[in-house]
């Protein structure tokens, strides 16, 4: 069983950057893939990025290319999502999730399902 806890959300002004953190217990090596997705108010879930925890290979949804970066630190069992040049349209609940059933690239998509997911962290851009 894997537990995921997000942190780093909050309120930020347009143009700013935020680095969200996903702590995986017992460790990120327990799953093959950890992903980030978000849900904006009144909108469907949007896949953003995923990372293969074995080699650190990164995968991005088209909407996330350029301003988003996913990374991992195995020493502290965290996966991060850096978001730059934020706008009010980035206001959403950001959630990390993990799974091992499919190729990691699949988990960046909007229809991915996950065995494990965190509670999410609210990000508000004004």
């Amino acid at each position: 069983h894997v537990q995921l806890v997000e942190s780093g959300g909050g309120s930020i002004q347009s143009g700013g950057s935020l680095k969200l953190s996903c702590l995986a217990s017992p460790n990120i090596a327990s799953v093959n893939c950890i992903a980030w997705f978000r849900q904006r108010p009144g909108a469907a879930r949007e896949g953003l990025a995923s990372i293969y925890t074995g080699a650190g290979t990164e995968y991005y949804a088209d909407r996330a290319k350029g301003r988003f970066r996913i990374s991992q630190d195995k020493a502290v069992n965290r996966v991060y999502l850096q978001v730059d040049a934020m706008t009010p349209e980035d206001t959403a609940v950001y959630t990390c999730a993990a799974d091992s059933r499919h190729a990691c690239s699949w988990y960046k998509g909007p229809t991915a399902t996950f065995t494990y997911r965190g509670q999410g962290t609210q990000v508000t851009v004004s």
Side-chain angles (χ1 to χ4, degrees), residues 35-47:
W36 284 94
F37 61 87
R38 72 183 183 186
Q39 188 151 20
R40 295 187 284 175
R45 191 183 82 186
E46 299 174 335

Side-chain angles (χ1 to χ4, degrees), residues 12 36 42 70 72 90 96 100 102 119:
I12 188 168
W36 284 94
I70 192 170
Q72 64 178 12
D90 292 316
C96 67
S100 298
H102 305 291
Q119 294 297 309

